[in-house]
Amino acid sequence: MTQALIQDITLDLAESFGMKQPRGALVAKVLPDSPAQAAGIEVGDVIVKFDGREIRDSASLPPIVGRSRVGVSIPVDVIRNRKQKVINV
């Protein structure tokens, strides 16, 4: 999921997304013409899993993404509108 800017989830943000505790990486910006945009990742999505791996905070996401194979569809679990859904990137 390249070309998206992410940030940590605070307790207040977690509550606003209907989460019991802070976890994951909040998508703050999706860059134009990026794989993230093409896959349908949106500003405000909270990435909680990437390729089956739990995302605890925003710092844990980039290394996992960096080890991903190029050209392969990868499931990304996001929380959007208080519901968890899977998007293939």
Side-chain angles (χ1 to χ4, degrees):
M1 199 227 34
T2 57
Q3 306 303 318
L5 303 178
I6 56 174
Q7 67 183 57
D8 282 333
I9 300 289
T10 63
L11 183 57
D12 288 339
L13 285 172
E15 289 174 358
S16 74
F17 292 121
M19 302 164 66
K20 294 180 182 176
Q21 62 184 6
R23 66 184 177 110
L26 175 63
V27 177
K29 183 175 184 180
V30 179
L31 300 179
D33 301 319
S34 66
Q37 182 185 46
I41 299 290
E42 297 179 2
V43 171
D45 285 348
V46 179
I47 299 169
V48 293
K49 279 188 182 179
F50 187 91
D51 199 15
R53 295 185 177 102
E54 295 286 335
I55 304 302
R56 294 187 181 160
D57 55 32
S58 63
S60 64
L61 183 59
I64 294 170
V65 173
R67 289 190 297 268
S68 300
R69 293 184 10 208
V70 175
V72 176
S73 181
I74 295 173
V76 177
D77 290 45
V78 301
I79 295 175
R80 180 184 294 165
N81 298 325
R82 298 179 153 255
K83 296 179 184 168
Q84 190 161 329
K85 68 181 287 182
V86 178
I87 298 172
N88 289 307
V89 177

